[in-house]
Amino acid sequence: MGVSRLMDLLADSREVIRNDGLLLLQQLTKSNAAIQKIVAFENAFERLLDIITEEGSSDGGIVVEDCLLLLLNLLKNNSSNQNFFKEGSYIQRMKPWFEVGDDNSGWSAQKVTNLHLMLQLVRVMVSPVNSPGATASCQKSMYQCGLLQQLCTILMATGVPADILTETINTVSEVIRGSQVNQDYFASVNAPSNPPRPAIVVLLMSMVNERQPFVLRCAVLYCFQCFLYKNQKGQGEIVATLLPSTIDANSISAGQLLCGGLFSADSLSNWCAAVALAHALQDNLTQKEQLLRVQLATSLGKPPVSLLQQCTNILSQGSKVQTRVGLLMLLCTWISNCPIAVTHFLHNQENVPFLMAQISENLGEDERLVQGLCALLLGICIYHNDNSLENYTKEKLKQLIEKRIGKENFVEKLGFITKHELYSRAAQKPQPVFPSPEQMLFDHEFTKLVKELEGIITKAVHKSSEEEKKEEEVKKTLEQHDNIVTQYKELIREQDSQIQELKEQVSSMSSQNEQLQVTVTQQLSQIQQHKDQYNILKLKLGKDNQSQMNSQVDGSQVNGLQTEEVAQLREELEELRKQHTLLQTQLTEKDTLISNLRSETPQIAEDSAAESNNTELLQELEALRSQVQSQTAEIMQMKTEREELLKRNEAMSSDAACSSDDLADSAKMAELESRLTAQMAATERLKAEAKSLSESRAELEQQLASATSTVAILQTEKGKLQTEVQESKKEQDDLLMLLADQDQKIHSLKQKLKDLGETVDDEDDLDTRDQTDDDYEEDEDEDED
């Protein structure tokens, strides 16, 4: 918890306490990764950046410097803190530090120091020694937030102090190194001149200008190297400025500046231009071949000379060591891994004797490096020789070395390069940092090339002709093997294409099969819907009214004189009315059912079981007709009983006339007459009711006739339904036949894929199950029919 409490001092309102806390944390975080992580995760970045902003950023005082020194301690060589700094979006907060105005005169010493530390802080995040992924991520963030654009503004500004300008160039170099997006942006930057010139051209003008400070020229070279690092597009643009078809006499190009520096009187310019041009060819065979086309006009009246020849001509003139080392590094990089360039170099009859003479001579300590580089150049001519020139084949060059130099001596001279003290210094890091211009001899990328070629050239020189022949035989065998492998690869490609075509066919067949399955599923669902509708209709028709209760009339003789018999007749008439009302209700229900049947009949057009429904409907209509007939019989029986009652009344009136003697009988007769009158009224009423029943029966017969015609119509529609069902069955059979053909094709295609070695899921079980389900559905349909 001690570090946490020390971090609290940075938020203290007393500036003395805060400043002493900064100084204490600086000492604690030096070379202690554990404390650095603790401080970083105690929100140090946020607090330090807030303090820098409060104190005025680059215009602040010593407190800003202390904060920047603490930030450098936390971030330098600490990948986890760097990642935390980037993930916390603190890179974006660095952009305002570099907002420099137009008036750059009178910078204070403290401002120069602050800005210098700020630039170092940016370089820590994008240093080449960091992991490539972390560096690329920081470079991307710096471009997106506009930090790179702000640095380029300082780069092209006027009045900026020389040491700040130099450090800014180095910072921009590492921000763009290996990042294609950042390199493209840098190539588009123009200096505010009239006319505007690309920033690259302006920087190269400073590099080849011997009046510029040495550190500034080294920084420009580093910037140019970083611009071309893994940037084949940029390499092509630089080489294109040297080609005859693209030269513009009215403007200064990068290629012209490099050529001018390459052949100037200043040895440092020679070396820088040679190394810069070598980076334009690094790992780029196309540009190596393109540069062979470059022609130089050396003097009036003489034919132009190729750039390659001019470099060798300057070498043979015995210029300064720094110039020759630069040209030899350029030539080694140029012809390495480029047989055409080797042929061009050997085509000049003077080059090989010159190299032999340089290597074989016993010169002083300073010339040993040149001897080693000449040995390296000659070794490249041996190793990358395609034997197109008879005088300088691999074997003849090795014989010359053995006769004039000796193999051991040659290998010893070759080893002079790596034994040089400046070689190991240049191999440490990409940035060219030299104490003085005289020590500027090796380039970082060239040290990688030497390490790669030294052992290869040593083996190539020591190999005998027999070993060469064996190697040639092995190469031929390998070529034959490669040809066989190529043939097999082509065969495999053809098979792959065939397999791909078959897969496409299988996929198309599968899609067709799926479509057919969908169609069949739709048909089955439609059939199921029709079945459901049929069942619903069947349930509706099944809800018939139960059979009418047959009211039997008592057949016993009725005594017209008893009141109970008249009441019984009335009850029977009331029952007949109820039955008549019930019959009318039933007929109304039947009419409703018939109309519903007519409306629902088109929906069951494909149902094969409609015939049974119509049969049941006919049976129900027959039952209704029989009920009506039974009602008619009951009415006739009632008429007969009424006539019998009338006869009884007449008999009773005649008996009363015969026995008029008795007064009591007269009274009884009067009573009987009154009862007879009432009975006659009741009889008349029964007649009226019987008449109404007769009319109702006529209406029932008409309704029965209309129901019969409706049944005939239903039978006709049933025939149509049966026809449509048969057509639907035929369509289903055709679909099943089509599915069977598709299954057969898919099976054959699967068999072909299996023969070709492809793994194919077996779906026979699934197909069998589907077929079984289809057969079961068909059997169900037949049973229901």
Side-chain angles (χ1 to χ4, degrees):
M1 294 301 295
V3 176
S4 178
R5 295 189 178 184
L6 287 175
M7 287 299 300
D8 292 338
L9 298 178
L10 299 183
D12 199 297
S13 60
R14 295 164 293 183
E15 291 188 2
V16 177
I17 302 298
R18 182 195 67 183
N19 298 342
D20 287 344
L22 284 172
L23 296 175
L24 180 56
L25 286 170
Q26 280 183 34
Q27 299 300 321
L28 286 173
T29 54
K30 282 183 179 178
S31 304
N32 194 317
I35 296 179
Q36 289 169 4
K37 291 181 181 179
I38 295 172
V39 172
F41 283 98
E42 287 290 340
N43 205 20
F45 295 139
E46 185 75 29
R47 295 186 183 183
L48 291 173
L49 291 172
D50 288 342
I51 293 172
I52 290 172
T53 304
E54 291 171 3
E55 294 292 328
S57 297
S58 61
D59 293 324
I62 191 69
V63 178
V64 174
E65 181 181 349
D66 292 337
C67 291
L68 293 171
L69 288 172
L70 180 54
L71 284 172
L72 282 172
N73 286 347
L74 294 176
L75 293 174
K76 197 169 185 178
N77 299 323
N78 193 320
S79 58
S80 62
N81 280 3
Q82 290 174 9
N83 186 60
F84 182 62
F85 191 83
K86 178 183 69 68
E87 295 294 334
S89 301
Y90 296 118
I91 291 177
Q92 288 83 336
R93 296 185 61 178
M94 298 168 69
K95 180 189 173 185
W97 297 351
F98 305 103
E99 292 177 356
V100 179
D102 297 332
D103 185 12
N104 295 316
S105 60
W107 284 36
S108 65
Q110 186 62 56
K111 181 173 182 179
V112 172
T113 303
N114 291 344
L115 204 54
H116 191 77
L117 291 173
M118 290 172 177
L119 291 170
Q120 285 186 5
L121 200 58
V122 175
R123 292 186 65 183
V124 164
M125 299 299 296
V126 292
S127 174
V129 299
N130 296 343
S131 63
T135 300
S137 179
C138 291
Q139 288 172 335
K140 182 179 179 181
S141 297
M142 289 178 182
Y143 174 75
Q144 290 177 344
C145 74
L147 179 58
L148 173 60
Q149 294 85 328
Q150 200 65 46
L151 291 173
C152 290
T153 303
I154 297 177
L155 203 65
M156 296 291 105
T158 56
V160 178
D163 52 348
I164 294 298
L165 182 60
T166 302
E167 189 62 23
T168 304
I169 294 172
N170 288 326
T171 305
V172 171
S173 303
E174 293 183 352
V175 173
I176 68 173
R177 187 176 189 270
S179 174
Q180 186 66 52
V181 176
N182 294 4
Q183 288 167 341
D184 290 343
Y185 171 76
F186 183 70
S188 67
V189 175
N190 289 322
S193 59
N194 191 14
R197 288 177 180 171
I200 297 173
V201 173
V202 175
L203 291 175
L204 288 178
M205 290 171 68
S206 300
M207 186 185 74
V208 298
N209 187 353
E210 55 185 312
R211 291 184 299 236
Q212 293 291 341
F214 172 64
V215 289
L216 179 62
R217 299 174 73 181
C218 291
V220 172
L221 176 62
Y222 184 44
C223 185
F224 191 73
Q225 291 173 345
C226 292
F227 169 67
L228 296 179
Y229 182 71
K230 294 184 178 180
N231 184 8
Q232 292 193 351
K233 178 183 176 183
Q235 289 175 328
E237 291 173 353
I238 296 299
V239 173
T241 60
L242 287 166
L243 298 178
S245 59
T246 58
I247 292 177
D248 186 3
N250 297 324
S251 63
I252 300 175
S253 65
Q256 292 173 0
L257 289 171
L258 291 177
C259 282
L262 195 62
F263 307 124
S264 71
D266 180 28
S267 61
L268 184 59
S269 297
N270 299 152
W271 191 91
C272 290
V275 170
L277 198 54
H279 276 262
L281 306 176
Q282 195 76 37
D283 299 326
N284 197 327
L285 180 61
T286 303
Q287 302 310 322
K288 290 178 182 179
E289 295 176 357
Q290 287 291 323
L291 201 62
L292 294 172
R293 298 169 48 201
V294 177
Q295 301 289 322
L296 301 176
T298 55
S299 60
L300 295 174
K302 291 186 179 180
V305 181
S306 67
L307 179 61
L308 184 66
Q309 183 59 44
Q310 185 65 15
C311 291
T312 57
N313 291 341
I314 295 174
L315 278 175
S316 62
Q317 293 172 4
S319 53
K320 292 181 181 181
V321 173
Q322 192 176 40
T323 300
R324 285 184 288 162
V325 169
L327 290 172
L328 285 169
M329 286 195 298
L330 172 59
L331 290 173
C332 289
T333 305
W334 192 346
I335 70 173
S336 176
N337 201 27
C338 184
I340 298 175
V342 172
T343 303
H344 277 259
F345 181 78
L346 295 176
H347 190 71
N348 187 351
Q349 301 295 327
E350 299 175 357
N351 289 341
V352 174
F354 168 73
L355 294 177
M356 290 287 182
Q358 288 288 320
I359 298 169
S360 60
E361 289 182 5
N362 291 321
L363 303 173
E365 188 71 23
D366 294 337
E367 297 292 333
R368 282 190 172 185
L369 182 56
V370 177
Q371 285 184 317
L373 292 172
C374 289
L376 179 66
L377 186 59
L378 187 58
I380 294 173
C381 291
I382 295 172
Y383 183 70
H384 291 293
N385 195 337
D386 58 359
N387 295 327
S388 58
L389 297 175
E390 289 186 18
N391 296 333
Y392 295 114
T393 61
K394 288 184 179 181
E395 189 61 33
K396 289 185 178 181
L397 287 175
K398 285 194 287 186
Q399 289 175 2
L400 285 173
I401 290 174
E402 189 171 2
K403 289 179 182 179
R404 298 186 183 181
I405 304 172
K407 292 183 178 180
E408 298 299 330
N409 192 21
F410 178 84
V411 173
E412 182 183 0
K413 298 290 178 71
L414 183 62
F416 286 164
I417 302 173
T418 55
K419 292 177 183 177
H420 201 282
E421 60 177 352
L422 297 177
Y423 174 87
S424 58
R425 180 182 295 179
Q428 291 176 0
K429 55 183 180 179
Q431 183 180 1
V433 179
F434 303 98
S436 62
E438 294 78 16
Q439 295 182 350
M440 199 169 186
L441 292 177
F442 280 107
D443 173 57
H444 177 74
E445 292 296 328
F446 182 74
T447 59
K448 295 181 182 179
L449 182 65
V450 173
K451 186 184 291 186
E452 177 186 346
L453 292 176
E454 185 178 11
I456 295 173
I457 291 173
T458 302
K459 290 180 182 179
V461 171
H462 280 292
K463 284 177 184 175
S464 62
S465 59
E466 294 179 357
E467 290 175 344
E468 290 282 348
K469 289 180 181 178
K470 288 181 180 179
E471 282 194 357
E472 290 294 332
E473 292 178 357
V474 171
K475 284 184 179 179
K476 289 181 180 178
T477 305
L478 289 175
E479 287 178 358
Q480 292 177 356
H481 180 265
D482 290 341
N483 291 333
I484 294 172
V485 170
T486 304
Q487 292 177 358
Y488 277 113
K489 284 181 179 178
E490 292 177 355
L491 180 60
I492 290 171
R493 287 194 190 96
E494 292 178 358
Q495 291 179 349
D496 285 341
S497 62
Q498 292 176 357
I499 290 173
Q500 188 65 31
E501 291 177 358
L502 290 174
K503 284 182 179 179
E504 291 176 357
Q505 292 179 3
V506 167
S507 62
S508 63
M509 292 293 185
S510 299
S511 61
Q512 292 178 2
N513 187 21
E514 290 176 358
Q515 293 176 357
L516 291 174
Q517 290 288 351
V518 170
T519 305
V520 171
T521 305
Q522 292 176 353
Q523 293 290 336
L524 292 175
S525 65
Q526 290 178 0
I527 291 173
Q528 187 63 37
Q529 289 177 1
H530 292 316
K531 286 181 180 179
D532 295 339
Q533 293 173 358
Y534 164 73
N535 291 329
I536 292 171
L537 182 62
K538 187 175 181 180
L539 288 174
K540 286 182 178 179
L541 293 178
K543 291 180 181 178
D544 293 328
N545 293 314
Q546 296 179 356
S547 60
Q548 303 293 330
M549 295 179 65
N550 296 323
S551 50
Q552 299 178 356
V553 181
D554 190 6
S556 59
Q557 291 182 354
V558 179
N559 187 0
L561 300 176
Q562 296 178 357
T563 309
E564 291 81 7
E565 292 177 351
V566 176
Q568 185 177 0
L569 287 174
R570 290 177 179 174
E571 290 175 358
E572 288 176 355
L573 285 174
E574 189 68 21
E575 187 177 356
L576 286 175
R577 288 194 191 97
K578 291 179 180 179
Q579 290 178 358
H580 175 68
T581 305
L582 182 62
L583 284 174
Q584 286 182 339
T585 304
Q586 288 178 354
L587 279 176
T588 304
E589 290 177 356
K590 296 301 179 183
D591 290 337
T592 305
L593 285 175
I594 289 169
S595 60
N596 290 336
L597 182 62
R598 286 177 179 176
S599 62
E600 292 175 356
T601 297
Q603 298 177 359
I604 57 168
E606 294 179 14
D607 192 350
S608 60
E611 184 177 357
S612 60
N613 289 334
N614 294 328
T615 304
E616 290 176 359
L617 184 61
L618 290 173
Q619 292 175 357
E620 290 168 357
L621 291 173
E622 289 295 332
L624 183 62
R625 186 179 296 171
S626 63
Q627 289 177 3
V628 171
Q629 290 176 357
S630 64
Q631 294 294 330
T632 305
E634 288 174 356
I635 292 170
M636 293 301 296
Q637 185 177 358
M638 291 296 295
K639 285 183 177 181
T640 304
E641 289 175 355
R642 186 178 63 81
E643 289 175 356
E644 288 177 357
L645 285 174
L646 290 174
K647 289 179 181 179
R648 285 181 184 181
N649 287 331
E650 290 176 358
M652 288 174 67
S653 59
S654 62
D655 291 337
C658 294
S659 26
S660 57
D661 294 334
D662 196 354
L663 294 172
D665 290 338
S666 299
K668 288 180 180 179
M669 282 298 297
E671 184 180 358
L672 285 175
E673 285 178 355
S674 62
R675 292 174 61 186
L676 180 61
T677 304
Q679 189 69 32
M680 288 296 293
T683 302
E684 291 295 329
R685 188 170 61 254
L686 287 176
K687 285 181 179 180
E689 290 176 354
K691 184 177 180 181
S692 63
L693 286 175
S694 177
E695 292 174 354
S696 298
R697 186 175 72 84
E699 290 177 357
L700 288 174
E701 286 177 353
Q702 291 179 356
Q703 292 176 358
L704 181 62
S706 63
T708 304
S709 63
T710 302
V711 169
I713 294 171
L714 288 174
Q715 287 179 348
T716 304
E717 292 177 349
K718 183 197 74 171
K720 293 181 181 180
L721 289 174
Q722 288 177 346
T723 305
E724 290 177 354
V725 168
Q726 290 297 326
E727 290 177 356
S728 177
K729 283 185 178 181
K730 287 181 181 180
E731 289 178 356
Q732 291 179 9
D733 292 337
D734 293 339
L735 285 173
L736 291 173
M737 290 295 293
L738 184 58
L739 283 173
D741 293 340
Q742 295 294 334
D743 290 337
Q744 185 63 32
K745 291 180 181 178
I746 292 171
H747 181 71
S748 62
L749 289 173
K750 286 181 180 177
Q751 190 62 38
K752 288 181 181 179
L753 290 173
K754 288 180 180 179
D755 295 338
L756 293 172
E758 290 289 322
T759 304
V760 180
D761 294 335
D762 192 3
E763 298 179 356
D764 291 338
D765 295 338
L766 180 61
D767 296 338
T768 305
R769 187 165 64 253
D770 293 341
Q771 186 65 35
T772 305
D773 292 341
D774 293 339
D775 294 339
Y776 178 76
E777 292 290 340
E778 289 179 2
D779 293 338
E780 258 190 349
D781 293 340
E782 290 176 0
D783 293 338
E784 289 177 358
D785 291 342

